[in-house]
Amino acid sequence: MKCTSKPFLKNISILYRMWHIFFQRNLENLALPVSQIPFVRILEKFPGICQDEISKMLYIDKATTAKALKCMEKSELIFRKKDENDKRMMHIFLTQNWKNLLPEIHKSTKKLEEIFTKWFSTEEIKTFEKLSEKMSENAMEFHAQKP
């Protein structure tokens, strides 16, 4: 394992915090809590996904997912539809009203990426994407290991 004197985990933490603040400011007119953005992004990519799969994709526990989805349903951000073959399974979808607001989320995401990579060359952005993907894979591999 390589050690570095640079506090890259601190930098990752700062980036996450700034991401949070940025979306709070830029999407306050949508009345969408920042914590729900990852759920919206998954439901956009995978319409009809089930709750357990969302938990797995976001690496969060089932109770947290259930609570977030319940809030989203109350806010009419999502709706659930029973599986035709297995009545216990519910498929989750974004409502049309929220689908119409996705371009605003995409616009804000693009703007934030531009802010974060302001002085980066195209090559540096590609390198960062590859390295951060490898870091994520390492973290997911560690998470999958049983203690």
Side-chain angles (χ1 to χ4, degrees), residues 12 24 39 49 52 81 146:
I12 290 171
Q24 276 181 319
F39 292 91
I49 193 170
D52 287 349
K81 186 177 176 184
K146 302 282 183 199

Side-chain angles (χ1 to χ4, degrees), residues 75-118:
S75 301
E76 298 180 353
L77 175 62
I78 64 164
F79 67 94
R80 300 171 196 249
K81 186 177 176 184
K82 283 188 181 181
D83 187 279
E84 293 178 8
N85 299 320
D86 183 351
K87 299 298 180 193
R88 297 168 297 165
M89 181 178 287
M90 300 293 278
H91 297 279
I92 304 164
F93 300 88
L94 290 172
T95 61
Q96 189 59 49
N97 289 342
W98 284 97
K99 283 183 185 177
N100 294 339
L101 297 173
L102 289 172
E104 188 68 30
I105 295 172
H106 295 175
K107 180 180 165 188
S108 291
T109 300
K110 184 173 173 43
K111 182 177 178 182
L112 183 62
E113 288 175 356
E114 289 170 358
I115 291 168
F116 280 4
T117 60
K118 184 177 178 179

